[in-house]
Amino acid sequence: MSEFDIKKPVVALPDMDPEPQIPEEELFFTEEELERIAGFTEKYPTNRSAVMPALWLAQEKFGFLPPEVMKLVAEALDMPYAQVYGAATFYTQYYKKQMGTYVLDVCCSFSCQACGSYDVLDYLEEKLGIHAGETTEDGRFTIQEVECLGSCGTAPMLQVTNGPYVHNLTKEKLDELITDLRNDKMPPFTSVTLPQDEDEMGGNRRSDVEHTDTYRTPPAPERWI
Amino acid sequence: MEATNGQTKAGDWQNFERILLPPIRDLHTLDVYEAEYDGYQAIQKVLKEWEPGEVINEVKQANIRGRGGAAFNAGLKWSFMPPKGDRPRYLACNADESEPGTYKDRQLMEYNPHLMFEGILLANYAMEMDACYVYVRGEYADWITHMERELEKLYQKGYVGENIFGSDFSTDIILHKGAGAYICGEETSLMNSLEGKRGYPRIKPPFPAQKGLWDSPTTINNVETLAHVTLVMRHGADWFSAIGAPTHPGSTIYGISGHVNRPGAYEYPTGMLITDLIEKVCGGMRDGKKLKAVVPGGSSVPPLHVDMVDGVTMDADSLREAGSMMGTGGMLVLNEDTDMVTYLRRVNHFYQHESCGQCTPCREGTGWLEAIVTRIDEGEGNLRDLDLLIDLCDQMEGRTICAFADAAAWPVRYTIERFREDFEAKCKPAVFDTGGVTISA
């Protein structure tokens, strides 16, 4: 069968055989990781369902998911590469290209927009010298404009590399965050105290969290979009 | 805890005692939940004394209106499950909270996850489910870790797994981490995602109760709905339906955001006046500005103009009459400085970004909606573009597999209808060449 020769594809076709980005000697799962993947498959009736947890595991290990990593996941789950590729490309949190060490996902959906998220984005772009969607030259930071992260009451806010949330952003807080991240200090998990707890219990109800924050009057945005 | 606790009508909201998030220190841990909040008593009582069908009837009678947005009677939904056959049966708990403006389920997962776990066990018993998959959005990684810790304890104590509480009923709970896709909150898309596929919604029928996860009978419920199931089985349907609005009973977590002095997640009875929520609960508008618009239930619901807000209460029926929807109860408050064109532009960007791309009217339509509103926002639009937008909405609504296209079209249709002056102010005046006389419309 001859290959289709598409002269002018509307959407750029994916490179079928790209140059591997992960060196071959590093491209493997350890015994322990394979065991964990096998553990994922036990939770579901089919192997295919374990593709999401397996991709998460792969992303934690390799940092991102180039085709060779997707193929590795396909092998581990004994499923076709095309299906892994299909799943991985559907979800935005799976990084298909190399990202910075710290990915700053600034929420810009409407609640955050109304409370100054574009000011936050502007400030970060200015400070790091890159646009949203780009990575700094030293490979340390990537900024992304993302959709609702589900923390609308503490707008504007951001998430660091699919991990902790940073709430109630101000310029000072952003400066502090960037300094901390330059020193490889990730922000801690922060529990935001319910307003009713504040009134009735005098503070956060959880004693197992070290860092708490509260809901505050959001700032008036300078720029909307 | 006394059975009268929390039984409050919305008019008496100042005296409301919270039932989903009662003020108990460290309630999120299993020990405290059991010792101080009668935790896992309801499921033990039900396992001993109730038939599965009776549980469904009780929940149906309580009239828990689904808290995920559709406000459908949860017990009625349960009763659609076919009789137990050879195939396994599944419950899916929808914790994919991605609707802009919504953050209530996360509060439950952070402060009272066991209420949800117990509700899952009750639902699994009522519908004779083999397992429940809790689909949590990937961004909530920290909360998933916290819940995994608690779930581990449940397995160790024999509250979940084989022969729970020494009965002959066995069931599993599995936490599944999503990876960032709004559409996976749609129930059939959630099922495809759980099966390891791209999160494309499926055509209904067959409905999930007939052919759901792995072609088995499946029911999907929201986190808050399942938490309410625990309370219903603990205190009884009559107790529950006496709280809040008569046709939409219970309490709910209002996630309020935007231009108010004290935004946040507040638990109050359903049927609260929107004006009370803004003025009394949230301490009024920021900087003393005037209210311009309220989006009462997440980005998909039609926004209410300030003139439409008076006397409207937060329950499905009142909001429908007022021309909006209860949605998720995630309320965005906007002040007089807001430009509704810019607001709509961002909402459209959201839908354009999150459309799964399966159906053409939605995939292309959301892109055009954004492009046209952006044009208007940048001062390049014409008045006729507003008609074009409405026409586009007509072509999208009801013509796709899932309700995403409708959700994308409604804000456009109703924002233009209700805030037309904002749009007209940004459009270029229509100019007709009438031989020297210029007429602007």
Side-chain angles (χ1 to χ4, degrees):
Chain A
M1 208 166 86
S2 69
E3 279 188 24
F4 286 102
D5 183 21
I6 301 171
K7 293 263 161 46
K8 285 182 184 167
V10 180
V11 178
L13 292 172
D15 189 350
M16 285 304 163
D17 204 12
E19 201 62 31
Q21 288 163 277
I22 308 270
E24 215 181 316
E25 60 274 17
E26 289 172 25
L27 192 65
F28 64 91
F29 285 129
T30 61
E31 282 299 312
E32 188 245 351
E33 282 157 352
L34 286 171
E35 240 168 65
R36 276 178 66 196
I37 292 175
F40 299 148
T41 59
E42 279 167 19
K43 293 181 178 176
Y44 308 93
T46 59
N47 269 11
R48 188 174 180 178
S49 292
V51 68
M52 288 183 74
L55 283 170
W56 273 118
L57 186 145
Q59 180 157 306
E60 270 163 41
K61 182 182 166 93
F62 299 105
F64 68 119
L65 301 169
E68 60 269 25
V69 172
M70 293 187 210
K71 281 179 186 149
L72 193 67
V73 170
E75 255 169 56
L77 290 170
D78 194 21
M79 62 188 271
Y81 162 61
Q83 291 181 357
V84 178
Y85 182 86
T89 49
F90 189 80
Y91 302 97
T92 49
Q93 284 190 296
Y94 294 135
Y95 302 145
K96 270 72 70 180
K97 55 172 193 175
Q98 177 109 46
M99 301 296 247
T101 319
Y102 301 106
V103 183
L104 305 176
D105 288 338
V106 183
C107 175
C108 290
S109 274
F110 68 4
S111 292
C112 285
Q113 174 204 18
C115 302
S117 65
Y118 282 97
D119 298 342
V120 168
L121 204 61
D122 284 354
Y123 187 73
L124 279 175
E125 286 182 343
E126 192 75 23
K127 190 171 169 79
L128 299 173
I130 47 171
H131 288 113
E134 294 173 354
T135 304
T136 51
E137 264 176 34
D138 59 0
R140 226 168 163 70
F141 294 102
T142 301
I143 312 176
Q144 293 195 119
E145 174 185 338
V146 299
E147 301 304 332
C148 190
L149 292 171
S151 194
C152 319
T154 54
M157 54 81 61
L158 62 75
Q159 179 175 30
V160 185
T161 325
N162 296 332
Y165 280 17
V166 188
H167 306 274
N168 300 317
L169 293 171
T170 55
K171 283 178 182 166
E172 296 72 44
K173 214 162 177 175
L174 287 167
D175 288 341
E176 200 186 325
L177 175 72
I178 298 294
T179 314
D180 280 352
L181 290 177
R182 285 216 166 101
N183 297 320
D184 289 314
K185 194 176 143 219
M186 274 291 259
F189 170 74
T190 307
S191 175
V192 183
T193 310
L194 294 166
Q196 283 164 304
D197 281 2
E198 226 166 82
D199 296 343
E200 293 169 30
M201 302 168 76
N204 198 289
R205 60 169 74 198
R206 283 181 64 157
S207 62
D208 62 342
V209 288
E210 285 175 21
H211 295 269
T212 59
D213 206 336
T214 55
Y215 290 100
R216 292 178 208 165
T217 310
E222 288 163 32
R223 184 170 83 96
W224 277 83
I225 201 155
Chain B
M1 195 145 291
E2 284 165 37
T4 52
N5 182 21
Q7 253 188 316
T8 317
K9 292 289 174 196
D12 191 26
W13 60 270
Q14 281 99 338
N15 295 320
F16 176 71
E17 289 173 38
R18 289 179 285 166
I19 50 177
L20 288 171
L21 299 166
I24 300 170
R25 204 158 284 283
D26 287 326
L27 184 60
H28 65 288
T29 60
L30 179 57
D31 296 344
V32 176
Y33 180 72
E34 277 195 288
E36 295 181 39
Y37 197 52
D38 297 339
Y40 296 100
Q41 296 292 320
I43 179 69
Q44 291 188 53
K45 181 183 77 183
V46 164
L47 283 171
K48 278 198 200 95
E49 297 165 15
W50 293 62
E51 289 294 321
E54 293 173 339
V55 181
I56 296 184
N57 280 335
E58 188 77 9
V59 173
K60 201 196 283 184
Q61 207 197 322
N63 191 15
I64 309 176
R65 310 270 305 252
R67 299 293 204 257
F72 189 74
N73 183 324
L76 197 57
K77 192 181 199 177
W78 290 11
S79 67
F80 297 154
M81 285 291 280
K84 177 116 173 121
D86 307 333
R87 293 201 67 85
R89 296 148 76 86
Y90 300 108
L91 178 71
C93 173
N94 189 344
D96 189 61
E97 182 169 73
S98 326
E99 179 82 15
T102 309
Y103 55 107
K104 67 183 174 72
D105 291 343
R106 189 164 56 82
Q107 314 302 329
L108 274 169
M109 291 189 260
E110 178 163 347
Y111 294 115
N112 201 357
H114 286 288
L115 200 65
M116 170 187 85
F117 285 138
E118 192 174 351
I120 289 170
L121 292 177
L122 287 161
N124 277 6
Y125 176 72
M127 292 178 278
E128 300 170 84
M129 303 293 202
D130 293 87
C132 170
Y133 289 90
V134 186
Y135 190 101
V136 193
R137 66 181 297 190
E139 288 86 348
Y140 289 175
D142 284 333
W143 292 273
I144 295 173
T145 318
H146 296 184
M147 285 196 292
E148 268 170 355
R149 215 158 47 206
E150 294 302 315
L151 188 58
E152 183 60 28
K153 289 186 208 161
L154 291 179
Y155 268 102
Q156 277 168 11
K157 287 191 94 170
Y159 290 7
V160 183
E162 295 287 311
N163 300 85
I164 61 170
F165 299 99
S167 71
D168 53 7
F169 180 65
S170 304
T171 198
D172 281 305
I173 299 178
I174 294 119
L175 291 177
H176 183 92
K177 185 183 178 188
Y182 167 75
I183 192 64
C184 290
E186 200 278 338
E187 57 179 14
T188 55
S189 162
L190 185 147
M191 297 193 300
N192 270 348
S193 182
L194 266 171
E195 290 180 15
K197 300 171 186 165
R198 291 169 77 85
Y200 286 147
R202 301 177 188 172
I203 292 173
K204 291 190 272 192
F207 289 94
Q210 272 77 47
K211 249 184 162 191
L213 280 169
W214 301 286
D215 287 347
S216 296
T218 304
T219 294
I220 296 109
N221 282 130
N222 174 260
V223 173
E224 196 190 326
T225 310
L226 288 165
H228 277 307
V229 167
T230 311
L231 296 168
V232 166
M233 293 318 293
R234 190 184 290 177
H235 302 299
D238 295 339
W239 173 86
F240 182 81
S241 46
I243 305 169
T247 55
H248 192 139
S251 71
T252 194
I253 301 172
Y254 299 103
I256 304 170
S257 57
H259 303 150
V260 288
N261 275 322
R262 202 183 184 200
Y266 296 86
E267 189 198 339
Y268 278 115
T270 53
M272 291 272 292
L273 280 168
I274 291 179
T275 43
D276 273 358
L277 281 171
I278 296 172
E279 291 304 326
K280 295 178 183 156
V281 173
C282 291
M285 301 293 292
R286 186 190 65 200
D287 307 330
K289 298 261 183 187
K290 284 205 196 81
L291 178 67
K292 176 164 188 172
V294 176
V295 191
S299 66
S300 319
V301 312
L304 291 171
H305 191 274
V306 61
D307 297 341
M308 308 163 80
V309 167
D310 265 350
V312 178
T313 57
M314 288 294 280
D315 57 85
D317 301 297
S318 174
L319 281 167
R320 199 182 45 237
E321 262 173 52
S324 189
M325 279 159 67
M326 178 74 179
T328 54
M331 196 166 107
L332 173 68
V333 181
L334 296 168
N335 71 15
E336 56 189 326
D337 294 344
T338 310
D339 181 350
M340 294 307 281
V341 183
T342 314
Y343 154 84
L344 187 64
R345 175 180 169 183
R346 191 63 189 70
V347 171
N348 285 344
H349 176 75
F350 172 80
Y351 287 105
Q352 190 276 328
H353 185 264
E354 297 296 336
S355 173
C356 78
Q358 200 178 192
C359 314
T360 312
C362 175
R363 182 186 62 239
E364 303 298 323
T366 48
W368 280 110
L369 287 178
E370 191 196 355
I372 298 168
V373 174
T374 303
R375 180 164 76 193
I376 297 172
D377 192 34
E378 288 173 351
E380 296 296 318
N382 298 309
L383 270 179
R384 67 170 63 177
D385 284 343
L386 300 181
D387 293 336
L388 183 61
L389 284 168
I390 300 291
D391 184 46
L392 196 48
C393 293
D394 289 340
Q395 313 250 9
M396 290 168 68
E397 285 170 8
R399 286 163 205 256
T400 51
I401 291 173
C402 76
F404 184 99
D406 302 69
W410 285 332
V412 178
R413 178 184 293 281
Y414 292 102
T415 311
I416 293 177
E417 191 184 302
R418 292 169 187 174
F419 301 90
R420 198 176 170 94
E421 62 281 6
D422 281 28
F423 288 85
E424 287 181 354
K426 280 204 162 177
C427 285
K428 289 192 278 194
V431 180
F432 305 100
D433 184 6
T434 52
V437 186
T438 311
I439 306 166
S440 46

